[in-house]
Amino acid sequence: MPTTTAVLSIPTADGSADAFAAFPADGRRHPGVLLYPDAFGLRPELQDKARHLAELGHYVLVPNLYYRTGPAPVADLPAHISEEIRPAVIARVLPLLEELTAERALRDAEAFLEFLAGRPEAAGDGPVAVIGYCIGAAFALRAAAAHPDRVAALAGFHPGFLVTGGPDSPHRLIPQLTARVHLALSEGGDMSPKALAELTEALDAAGVDHTTEVYPGTVHGFTMADTGAFDAAALQRHWDRLRALLGRTLATG
């Protein structure tokens, strides 16, 4: 399906967030997807993922979560993040992540979803999906829990910080979810067995329709082709799971 892209500016309570959008170039309205990047932020790798989802018939919005600091890319990122330099790159973006509090993330989510509903190429206030990679999965969960009337699907890949020891841990919001949930973890361990058990228990107790699986032979970040963690087979499996999830929850066209 032919697609088109746009660089946009989203009004928020704290300023204006730059964003990337991809959508079918057929002049019709399509169901929305809010895509939360990993810790490294909005960059060509995330734009490629947005294009792929647009080819499947969706309007995909990828915001720059670090817009309070500046337009993307906020941090100086290499073209390829090898495992050797990954800790140094993480150190660059960690201060940006620490500034993105739960309160700020919730304000942003409201602005992002409102903006998505207003796009002429998107399906108005119809059901949407939120997808998150790495720490983006935690932001996606917060968005889905805060807007159960809008979010019909929630997906997290190599998710991080879904279960923390704090009172505002994202997993504590699970009872508010109405979305169908899919989580895909690396075999290398995105969360401890104890945290995974606690997350699964919360999903089951809340009656959430969910699937959780571990991708064999993978490490954290397996979907990201611009990192040393990339696994091509796991990326395809992730596309297969997303296609099935979105096909069950969002009407295309």
Side-chain angles (χ1 to χ4, degrees):
M1 179 182 293
T3 64
T4 189
T5 63
V7 175
L8 304 170
S9 181
I10 305 173
T12 76
D14 298 324
S16 181
D18 52 305
F20 178 86
F23 46 92
D26 58 4
R28 301 169 66 186
R29 307 188 77 177
H30 295 270
V33 174
L34 175 59
L35 195 159
Y36 281 92
D38 60 0
F40 301 132
L42 175 55
R43 60 193 191 282
E45 173 65 17
L46 276 298
Q47 294 172 357
D48 287 345
K49 284 180 168 47
R51 290 187 184 94
H52 189 98
L53 286 167
E55 290 171 357
L56 300 180
H58 303 287
Y59 183 101
V60 188
L61 183 67
V62 191
N64 169 24
L65 303 182
Y66 305 141
Y67 70 88
R68 294 175 180 86
T69 300
V74 175
D76 182 19
L77 298 176
H80 186 265
I81 304 169
S82 67
E83 291 303 289
E84 291 75 20
I85 67 172
R86 187 183 186 94
V89 180
I90 287 289
R92 291 179 211 165
V93 301
L94 188 57
L96 303 175
L97 273 176
E98 291 174 341
E99 291 180 0
L100 192 50
T101 63
E103 291 76 17
R104 284 182 168 182
L106 285 174
R107 292 202 300 270
D108 287 349
E110 183 173 2
F112 297 159
L113 289 171
E114 181 178 351
F115 184 83
L116 184 58
R119 301 310 299 164
E121 306 89 355
D125 58 358
V128 302
V130 289
I131 301 169
Y133 298 90
C134 180
I135 187 65
F139 298 133
L141 195 161
R142 292 189 187 281
H147 300 274
D149 57 327
R150 291 290 321 280
V151 180
L154 165 63
F157 295 91
H158 38 85
F161 303 99
L162 294 183
V163 178
T164 72
D168 64 346
S169 174
H171 84 287
R172 302 187 191 282
L173 302 172
I174 283 174
Q176 301 174 34
L177 291 176
T178 59
R180 186 188 296 254
V181 176
H182 176 74
L183 300 173
L185 296 96
S186 69
E187 190 175 45
D190 296 308
M191 60 180 67
S192 69
K194 179 181 178 182
L196 178 57
E198 190 171 351
L199 178 67
T200 302
E201 181 180 354
L203 289 165
D204 288 340
V208 174
D209 186 348
H210 71 96
T211 56
T212 302
E213 61 180 344
V214 175
Y215 285 22
T218 60
V219 296
H220 181 74
F222 58 78
T223 65
M224 298 297 164
D226 63 349
T227 74
F230 179 61
D231 185 301
L235 175 67
Q236 184 55 53
R237 183 174 181 177
H238 132 283
W239 287 130
D240 293 342
R241 296 300 188 266
L242 273 179
R243 187 179 295 108
L245 176 68
L246 300 183
R248 288 193 300 267
T249 54
L250 304 181
T252 57

